[in-house]
């Protein structure tokens, strides 16, 4: 069993920044694929960014503003979010693919509002 716990969400003004963290209950250096997803009210969950074998992938809506990274020594995945917009408001969740299962955290709320 793998547990993921997100933190770092909150209320921020448009144009501001937040860094989300996802702490994992096992060593992450060997996890093939990790990512961040978000779900806004009334909308389907969507991919934000993924990290696999050193390669990154971003949704078009966040390219150039968000950065996904990890720190193996802390078993933590990060999402640095800059130049936040009201449309970034959502519950952000991290996941980890450890075949044959995919594990999810409980999510953290990000609200971008003035």
């Amino acid at each position: 069993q793998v547990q993921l716990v997100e933190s770092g969400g909150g209320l921020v003004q448009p144009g501001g920044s937040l860094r989300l963290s996802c702490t994992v209950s096992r060593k992450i250096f060997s996890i093939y694929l990790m990512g961040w997803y978000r779900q806004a009210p009334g909308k389907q969950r969507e991919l934000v960014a993924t990290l696999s074998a050193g390669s990154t992938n971003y949704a078009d809506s966040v390219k150039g503003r968000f950065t996904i990274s990890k720190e193996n020594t802390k078993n933590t995945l990060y999402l640095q979010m800059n130049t936040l917009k009201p449309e970034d408001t959502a519950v952000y969740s991290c996941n980890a693919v450890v075949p044959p299962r995919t594990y999810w955290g409980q999510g953290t709320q990000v609200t971008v509002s003035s």
Side-chain angles (χ1 to χ4, degrees):
Q1 189 75 5
V2 179
Q3 295 180 329
L4 294 81
V5 179
E6 300 96 336
S7 62
L11 173 64
V12 63
Q13 292 187 343
S17 298
L18 282 176
R19 187 177 79 159
L20 305 184
S21 299
C22 172
T23 302
V24 185
S25 64
R26 55 155 281 176
K27 294 187 183 299
I28 67 171
F29 72 92
S30 62
I31 294 179
Y32 173 69
L33 177 65
M34 300 186 71
W36 288 96
Y37 290 73
R38 68 186 181 187
Q39 186 167 20
K43 295 187 177 181
Q44 290 188 332
R45 183 166 60 193
E46 64 174 357
L47 179 147
V48 175
T50 60
L51 177 63
S52 175
S55 295
T56 57
N57 179 55
Y58 296 94
D60 287 343
S61 59
V62 307
K63 281 181 181 177
R65 300 189 297 123
F66 291 11
T67 303
I68 188 172
S69 63
K70 67 175 181 176
E71 190 167 356
N72 290 335
T73 58
K74 294 185 177 181
N75 296 327
T76 301
L77 180 74
Y78 299 103
L79 184 68
Q80 177 67 44
M81 306 186 294
N82 298 328
T83 318
L84 283 160
K85 304 175 181 180
E87 51 264 43
D88 294 318
T89 295
V91 175
Y92 285 71
S93 301
C94 61
N95 81 349
V97 178
V98 184
R101 294 189 59 181
T102 298
Y103 297 90
W104 291 88
Q106 83 289 348
T108 185
Q109 176 70 45
V110 172
T111 302
V112 185
S113 175
S114 56

